[in-house]
Amino acid sequence: MERYAGALEEAADGARQQERHYQLLSALQSLVKELPSSFQQRLSYTTLSDLALALLDGTVFEIVQGLLEIQHLTEKSLYNQRLRLQNEHRGARGRWRGAARRAQGALGLCAGRALPGRRSEEVPKTDQIEGAEPSVALLWR
């Protein structure tokens, strides 16, 4: 009796699987109808039926799920790398700005004083020609 009940369950399970196969095949055929005719000719009934059976198996969905997980991990890693690089660049930019401010400050201090150096004989002549004070003429050199 148990044998008989087991055989009935297998038959019902097989019928459900066959029905699901026909549903998937029908859905695939409707999708193929939306393709250009050059592609429709390449997808035979057998190919669509094999694809429907592969979808019934569930292996395809497991593979896709695994690929999705890999994609999410990769995206998360790339995002974290991007944030790290942005922070590094922000720090480097701040250091450069600080160095530029210090250099500007040093130039500002030097601009108020006469820089030590040799004053040639031509500078006083230039002063006389331009009518400028000797200290101003040094800054223009």
Side-chain angles (χ1 to χ4, degrees), residues 11 22 29 33 48 79 87 89 93-94 96 128 130 141:
Y22 286 134
Q29 285 173 333
K33 287 179 184 175
L48 294 177
Y79 178 75
N87 287 334
H89 289 159
R93 202 170 45 221
W96 278 102
Q128 293 171 359
E130 294 178 1
R141 282 187 81 201

Side-chain angles (χ1 to χ4, degrees), residues 20-127:
R20 182 73 179 134
H21 177 259
Y22 286 134
Q23 288 174 351
L24 287 172
L25 183 59
S26 173
L28 287 171
Q29 285 173 333
S30 65
L31 288 173
V32 168
K33 287 179 184 175
E34 296 175 11
L35 293 174
S37 62
S38 62
F39 293 115
Q40 287 180 11
Q41 294 171 357
R42 295 180 186 175
L43 295 171
S44 67
Y45 179 84
T46 308
T47 303
L48 294 177
S49 179
D50 290 344
L51 182 57
L53 285 173
L55 290 173
L56 271 176
D57 183 15
T59 306
V60 173
F61 294 112
E62 290 175 17
I63 291 170
V64 169
Q65 187 63 36
L67 290 173
L68 271 174
E69 289 174 13
I70 291 170
Q71 180 184 4
H72 288 290
L73 290 173
T74 303
E75 287 176 357
K76 184 177 180 179
S77 171
L78 288 172
Y79 178 75
N80 288 334
Q81 182 181 1
R82 179 177 159 249
L83 288 178
R84 183 176 43 78
L85 285 172
Q86 281 179 335
N87 287 334
E88 287 175 12
H89 289 159
R90 199 172 290 128
R93 202 170 45 221
R95 288 189 298 276
W96 278 102
R97 285 185 181 149
R101 280 191 211 111
R102 286 190 298 277
Q104 257 183 341
L107 285 176
L109 290 175
C110 292
R113 308 183 197 140
L115 295 175
R118 287 188 350 205
R119 183 173 175 147
S120 69
E121 293 296 325
E122 298 170 4
V123 173
K125 293 177 186 174
T126 309
D127 290 348

